């Protein structure tokens, strides 16, 4: 009925720049404010109707009409919108309302994932047009983005994600301008986005766009990494709550398939000068604390038969599942970030990692054996389900299952022993550091005592003449003992005396003297004072 009564064409007739040209023969002319309200109502209605009329979309060349209208909304043509209606909220004296709802219409069309619509819009240059406009908006970081701007940016990023997700050529069209736009949005401060209330929504849209428009294209990945976009993502992991950390970790993990990314990941340092490896271990421990995994105070495995299970996972009763239903062990991989953290360490390695602390080394033992422990959990569930269904295994299968379960438990015991050994080594190292520190303290005190004794001796020599003469005799004796045996100088005509006559000091003298405390009257003189011994 909508097609036959030409309702769709009537709604499309409003998709044109304002003010509209008056049609000849019309009985009643709408005012500009009323025409604007009708136009926004028509676009909102087409957002729901147009995805259901794809044949009419191509027959009437709707894509061209929409793109021409979009070009008008972002152009510099002056248009004084009234912004009186519900749909015109926030669009007074500008064209933001029209831009907002035309973006929403594009989003509705692309959400049905029809390849023909995507090709039609891409061939007419929608990707560079949207990236250029979003870059212009992203450069206005000093201006707070309101909810209308937020809707426009998020819908634009969603449109780009839908278009570029499965096509490498479109990702290359996204190119440099789109990457710079994404980095601008990733580093924007939270208080600039609706006073912080819309920051979460903007980040989700931007990260999704990184995942769809950058990941998968080697050219875009290299440029994104070289422009330090990976640092922006890592900063977001450190600063944002868990709801966003899981998404960002998945995006960075896919980016790390590019070998150039690993170098940037290892050189990154957070606000507290922490390495990414330490941050991953912190996230792992936070996950285990949240799901209440059994651990000791030092982080060592407490229950060797269930090294990864939390209280919530253990509370879920095992029941026979259908063929395509997921077990609780598989659902655990989806609910938390531990599988992603394990994936990172598989790329970075498990040894000789920088920035690890004592508790990180203990946690890393569990992460390294995560896959084996998880396989053991799944086999335990399989055996339990078979027992509940009354299925008995044949002898070879039963022996294999027993071997797997025993190997899992032995692996847990071995990991716990390794963790205790690591803690013992760290404890010995701490004791060595403490001993070296106390040795330094003792040496400092001995040096102070020695200096004090030297000072007392110096005072005694300068205060009592007998002590001064005794010190001088001791010095002369030490000089004589230090010299080689004297030769017979009877055959020589002249023998020089090596001692300085009338010397009144007891230290070894030279051609220069060092004065520790100079009188003030000497400092006032500008000429050099010559001292003669």
């Amino acid at each position: 009925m909508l097609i036959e009564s030409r309702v769709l064409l009537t709604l499309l007739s409003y998709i044109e720049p304002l003010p509209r040209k008056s049609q000849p023969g019309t009985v009643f002319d709408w005012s500009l404010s009323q025409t604007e309200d009708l136009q926004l109502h028509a676009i909102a209605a087409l957002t729901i109707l147009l995805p259901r009329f794809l044949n009419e979309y191509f027959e009437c060349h709707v894509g061209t009409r929409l793109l021409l209208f979009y070009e008008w909304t972002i152009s510099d043509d002056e248009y004084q919108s009234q912004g009186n209606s519900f749909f015109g909220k926030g669009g007074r004296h500008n064209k933001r309302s029209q831009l907002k709802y035309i973006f929403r219409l594009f989003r509705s069309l692309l959400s049905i994932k029809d390849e023909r619509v995507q090709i039609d819009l891409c061939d007419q240059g929608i990707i560079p047009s949207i990236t250029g406009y979003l870059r212009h908006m992203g450069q206005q970081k000093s201006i707070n983005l309101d909810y209308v701007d937020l809707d426009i940016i998020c819908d634009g990023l969603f449109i780009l994600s839908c278009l570029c997700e499965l096509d490498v050529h479109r990702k290359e069209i996204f190119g440099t301008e789109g990457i710079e736009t994404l980095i601008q949005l990733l580093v924007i401060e939270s208080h600039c986005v609706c006073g912080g209330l819309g920051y979460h929504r903007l980040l989700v849209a931007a990260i999704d766009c990184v995942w769809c428009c950058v990941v998968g294209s080697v050219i875009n990945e290299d440029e994104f990494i070289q422009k330090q976009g990976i640092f922006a993502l890592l900063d977001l992991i450190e600063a944002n709550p868990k709801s966003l950390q899981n998404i960002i970790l998945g995006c960075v993990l896919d980016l790390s398939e590019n070998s150039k990314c690993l170098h940037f990941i290892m050189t990154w340092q957070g606000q507290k000068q922490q390495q990414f490896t330490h941050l991953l271990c912190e996230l792992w421990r936070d996950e285990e604390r949240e799901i209440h995994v059994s651990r000791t105070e030092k982080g060592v495995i407490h229950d060797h038969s269930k090294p990864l299970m939390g209280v919530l996972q253990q509370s879920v009763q095992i029941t026979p599942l259908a063929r395509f239903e997921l077990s609780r062990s598989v659902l655990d991989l989806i609910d938390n970030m531990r599988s992603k953290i394990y994936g990172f360490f598989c790329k970075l390695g498990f040894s000789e990692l920088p920035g690890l602390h004592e508790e990180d080394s203990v946690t890393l033992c569990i992460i390294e054996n995560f896959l084996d422990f998880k396989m053991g959990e799944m086999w335990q569930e399989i055996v339990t389900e078979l027992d509940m269904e009354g299925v008995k295994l044949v002898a070879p299968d039963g022996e294999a299952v027993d071997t797997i379960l025993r190997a899992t438990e032995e692996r847990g015991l071995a990991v716990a022993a390794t963790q205790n050994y690591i803690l013992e080594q760290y404890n010995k190292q701490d004791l060595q550091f403490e001993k070296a520190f106390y040795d330094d303290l003792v040496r400092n005190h001995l040096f102070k005592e020695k200096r004090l004794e030297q000072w007392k001796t110096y005072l005694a020599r300068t205060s009592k003449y007998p002590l001064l003469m005794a010190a001088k005799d001791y010095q002369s004796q030490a000089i004589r003992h230090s010299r080689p045996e004297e030769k017979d100088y009877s055959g020589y005509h002249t023998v020089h005396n090596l001692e300085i006559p009338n010397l009144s000091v007891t230290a070894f003298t030279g051609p220069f003297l060092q004065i520790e405390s100079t009188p003030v009257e000497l400092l006032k003189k500008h000429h050099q004072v010559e001292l003669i011994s």
Side-chain angles (χ1 to χ4, degrees), residues 446-472:
L446 290 176
F447 180 75
K448 291 180 180 179
E449 292 176 358
K450 183 177 179 181
R451 290 299 299 266
L452 181 61
E453 186 66 27
Q454 291 177 351
W455 175 248
K456 291 180 179 179
T457 306
Y458 172 74
L459 290 179
R461 291 200 311 268
T462 56
S463 302
K464 297 181 180 180
Y465 184 75
L467 294 178
L468 178 64
M469 296 305 298
K472 185 175 181 181

Side-chain angles (χ1 to χ4, degrees), residues 123-192:
D123 290 344
Q124 300 184 66
I126 189 174
I127 295 178
S129 178
I130 292 180
T131 52
Y133 180 75
L134 292 182
R135 183 184 180 187
H136 173 70
M137 292 191 66
Q139 290 174 349
Q140 301 176 352
K141 292 190 294 183
S142 59
I143 303 175
N144 290 333
L145 301 176
D146 59 9
Y147 282 101
V148 178
D149 293 330
L150 180 63
D151 288 339
I152 292 172
I153 293 175
C154 291
D155 288 343
L157 293 175
F158 180 80
I159 292 168
L160 294 172
S161 300
C162 292
L163 292 172
C164 302
E165 182 178 6
L166 302 175
D167 195 302
V168 178
H169 176 64
R170 295 174 190 168
K171 293 181 181 181
E172 294 175 357
I173 296 175
F174 180 79
T176 302
E177 195 170 25
I179 291 173
E180 292 177 355
T181 302
L182 286 176
I183 295 176
Q184 288 174 358
L185 295 176
L186 290 174
V187 300
I188 193 171
E189 298 180 358
S190 60
H191 63 82
C192 295

Side-chain angles (χ1 to χ4, degrees), residues 379-489:
W379 275 107
Q380 288 178 355
E381 290 184 352
I382 292 172
V383 173
T384 305
E385 289 184 20
L386 291 176
D387 292 338
M388 295 177 66
E389 294 175 355
V391 178
K392 293 185 178 179
L393 300 175
V394 296
D397 291 343
E399 183 178 354
V401 169
D402 292 340
T403 303
I404 292 172
L405 297 179
R406 186 171 61 254
T408 302
E409 188 172 355
E410 291 177 355
R411 179 62 62 88
L413 290 171
V415 171
T418 304
Q419 290 177 317
N420 289 323
Y421 174 76
I422 292 174
L423 291 174
E424 183 180 354
Q425 294 301 316
Y426 271 103
N427 187 25
K428 290 182 179 179
Q429 186 177 3
D430 292 340
L431 291 176
Q432 291 177 356
F433 288 156
E434 185 177 357
K435 183 179 178 181
F437 177 74
Y438 279 111
D439 290 342
D440 291 339
L441 290 178
V442 171
R443 282 194 295 270
N444 289 337
H445 283 288
L446 290 176
F447 180 75
K448 291 180 180 179
E449 292 176 358
K450 183 177 179 181
R451 290 299 299 266
L452 181 61
E453 186 66 27
Q454 291 177 351
W455 175 248
K456 291 180 179 179
T457 306
Y458 172 74
L459 290 179
R461 291 200 311 268
T462 56
S463 302
K464 297 181 180 180
Y465 184 75
L467 294 178
L468 178 64
M469 296 305 298
K472 185 175 181 181
D473 294 340
Y474 177 77
Q475 182 185 24
S476 301
Q477 184 179 1
I479 292 173
R480 285 194 299 272
H481 287 299
S482 64
R483 292 174 179 172
E485 296 181 359
E486 295 184 359
K487 298 181 180 180
D488 185 10
Y489 296 104

Side-chain angles (χ1 to χ4, degrees), residues 338-403:
R338 292 192 291 179
S339 58
K340 296 183 179 65
I341 296 173
Y342 174 73
F344 272 110
F345 279 107
C346 286
K347 296 179 182 298
L348 300 175
F350 294 94
S351 60
E352 299 181 358
L353 295 174
L356 294 181
H357 301 165
E358 176 183 354
E359 53 186 3
D360 298 335
S361 300
V362 175
T363 304
L364 195 60
C365 294
I366 303 175
I367 300 175
E368 186 175 1
N369 295 274
F370 171 75
L371 186 59
D372 295 331
F373 290 152
K374 183 56 67 174
M375 291 295 294
E377 282 184 15
M378 293 181 179
W379 275 107
Q380 288 178 355
E381 290 184 352
I382 292 172
V383 173
T384 305
E385 289 184 20
L386 291 176
D387 292 338
M388 295 177 66
E389 294 175 355
V391 178
K392 293 185 178 179
L393 300 175
V394 296
D397 291 343
E399 183 178 354
V401 169
D402 292 340
T403 303

Side-chain angles (χ1 to χ4, degrees), residues 161-337:
S161 300
C162 292
L163 292 172
C164 302
E165 182 178 6
L166 302 175
D167 195 302
V168 178
H169 176 64
R170 295 174 190 168
K171 293 181 181 181
E172 294 175 357
I173 296 175
F174 180 79
T176 302
E177 195 170 25
I179 291 173
E180 292 177 355
T181 302
L182 286 176
I183 295 176
Q184 288 174 358
L185 295 176
L186 290 174
V187 300
I188 193 171
E189 298 180 358
S190 60
H191 63 82
C192 295
V193 186
C194 305
L197 297 177
Y199 184 65
H200 185 280
R201 179 183 169 192
L202 178 65
L203 282 186
V204 171
I207 294 165
D208 180 63
C209 192
V210 173
W211 223 330
C212 296
C213 300
V214 176
V215 177
S217 172
V218 179
I219 298 175
N220 286 4
E221 288 178 357
D222 291 345
E223 188 164 359
F224 184 80
I225 294 170
Q226 291 297 331
K227 292 186 175 180
Q228 299 186 358
I230 191 69
F231 288 160
L233 291 176
L234 296 179
D235 291 338
L236 291 176
I237 294 176
E238 183 184 25
N240 283 278
K242 180 186 174 183
S243 58
L244 278 175
Q245 287 175 342
N246 202 347
I247 303 173
I248 305 172
L249 273 178
C251 183
V252 178
L253 183 60
D254 284 349
L255 275 174
S256 62
E257 293 292 334
N258 191 320
S259 58
K260 298 178 182 178
C261 183
L262 298 178
H263 172 71
F264 285 81
I265 288 177
M266 296 302 293
T267 56
W268 174 84
Q269 287 187 343
Q271 296 179 353
K272 300 178 180 179
Q273 302 300 317
Q274 59 181 353
Q275 299 282 345
F276 185 61
T277 52
H278 173 70
L279 179 61
L280 290 177
C281 293
E282 284 285 350
L283 294 177
W284 181 282
R285 288 190 289 270
D286 292 340
E287 288 284 353
E288 290 190 339
R289 281 191 291 267
E290 186 173 348
I291 61 179
H292 302 288
V293 181
S294 180
R295 297 282 184 267
T296 62
E297 293 180 357
K298 296 291 186 178
V300 181
I301 295 175
H302 187 266
D303 190 352
H304 310 105
S305 60
K306 301 175 182 178
L308 295 179
M309 279 193 187
V311 175
L312 180 61
Q313 185 178 350
Q314 295 179 21
S315 63
V316 178
Q317 186 177 2
I318 299 178
T319 57
L321 301 175
R323 181 178 178 183
F324 298 104
E325 293 184 18
L326 299 177
S327 66
R328 62 179 188 176
S329 296
V330 178
L331 291 175
D332 177 67
L333 298 175
I334 303 173
D335 293 338
N336 57 66
M337 298 181 287

